[in-house]
Amino acid sequence: MNFWKEHSQLRIILMLITFVLGMILIVRGWMMTGQMAGLGLVNGVGGNRFNHQGDMKRGDLAVILARLSNGAGDYPLTFTDVPAGKYYAGSIAWAAKTGVVTGRSDELFMPEDTITRAELAVMLYRYAKLLKLDTATSGGELSAFADGGSVADWAAEGMSWCVKNGILQGKNGGILDPRTNVTRAEVSVMLQRFINLMKQAQTKESIRGRP
């Protein structure tokens, strides 16, 4: 006999639990995007819309990190696919100069390309290095996930650091899903966790500096 046919009530309960958990994550993402928008880090897409479930693009993430760091400045723009007059041009120049977000090649940045979970983790990891945060990892952070072994070598260290510090968390089924695009809501949630980590580091540093 089919297990779920014999336990139809259990199936309904599990479906309800999954639905409720999904709604909690969506609402939490909306709350975080509201906080990020309030800080001026993540703006809407026009027409009074934030587009929570829309994919994050490389150019937009460069803008967010530059705003967080107050880092956009007069840096040379070397990518042929980034027009000087575009809203993200200065931020991309800053991101490339600092190494936080690198180009697809020496000439191409591909600002309209979407970002995967693995790529976002690496960018936040590089940004943590720029801020001189503790970026040490044990090397075993990814082994707790069913697809941890599928993380590409170039992303392993960044994803390990994000997992260790609670910035990147697994999805249902105990997976990291590194190749899936990140939504604007997910970026807001991870960015809030990153900011909390920055605050913790600043607090520790201030305590250490007391006489």
Side-chain angles (χ1 to χ4, degrees):
M1 293 292 290
N2 185 286
F3 175 83
W4 292 116
K5 286 183 179 179
E6 291 182 348
H7 302 83
S8 59
Q9 290 184 336
L10 176 60
R11 179 165 62 97
I12 293 171
I13 291 172
L14 288 175
M15 288 173 64
L16 286 171
I17 291 173
T18 302
F19 173 77
V20 170
L21 288 175
M23 289 303 297
I24 289 173
L25 289 174
I26 290 173
V27 171
R28 187 179 181 189
W30 288 346
M31 292 172 64
M32 292 298 185
T33 50
Q35 292 179 27
M36 294 299 100
L39 291 172
L41 297 177
V42 186
N43 291 337
V45 296
N48 293 322
R49 295 188 308 115
F50 190 89
N51 193 18
H52 298 82
Q53 297 307 310
D55 292 333
M56 178 62 70
K57 297 179 180 179
R58 287 168 52 82
D60 290 331
L61 186 66
V63 171
I64 291 169
L65 295 180
R67 284 174 180 161
L68 180 60
S69 193
N70 292 319
D74 230 353
Y75 297 104
L77 190 60
T78 59
F79 300 107
T80 59
D81 62 341
V82 182
K86 268 289 194 178
Y87 68 91
Y88 46 55
S91 299
I92 288 175
W94 168 84
K97 179 69 175 179
T98 57
V100 172
V101 186
T102 57
R104 297 293 194 197
S105 69
D106 290 340
E107 296 81 23
L108 300 177
F109 187 86
M110 309 295 262
E112 299 297 325
D113 276 9
T114 54
I115 296 173
T116 65
R117 285 165 61 83
E119 289 172 330
L120 177 59
V122 170
M123 293 171 189
L124 291 178
Y125 173 66
R126 290 175 184 154
Y127 187 49
K129 281 190 167 184
L130 179 67
L131 298 179
K132 301 189 183 306
L133 298 180
D134 181 4
T135 55
T137 61
S138 68
E141 287 86 0
L142 304 184
S143 61
F145 300 91
D147 59 348
S150 70
V151 175
D153 290 343
W154 59 266
E157 196 169 10
M159 291 199 79
S160 294
W161 180 80
C162 284
V163 167
K164 175 185 175 182
N165 290 283
I167 295 169
L168 178 66
Q169 298 178 359
K171 293 186 172 183
N172 289 340
I175 62 172
L176 283 170
D177 207 11
R179 296 183 180 88
T180 295
N181 290 342
V182 285
T183 65
R184 291 164 59 82
E186 288 174 322
V187 170
S188 295
V189 171
M190 291 177 67
L191 196 59
Q192 181 62 60
R193 292 171 182 158
F194 187 94
I195 291 172
N196 289 340
L197 184 67
M198 288 171 55
K199 290 178 179 177
Q200 291 171 15
Q202 290 170 354
T203 301
K204 288 179 182 178
E205 191 64 29
S206 64
I207 293 174
R208 191 178 297 118
R210 289 176 184 172

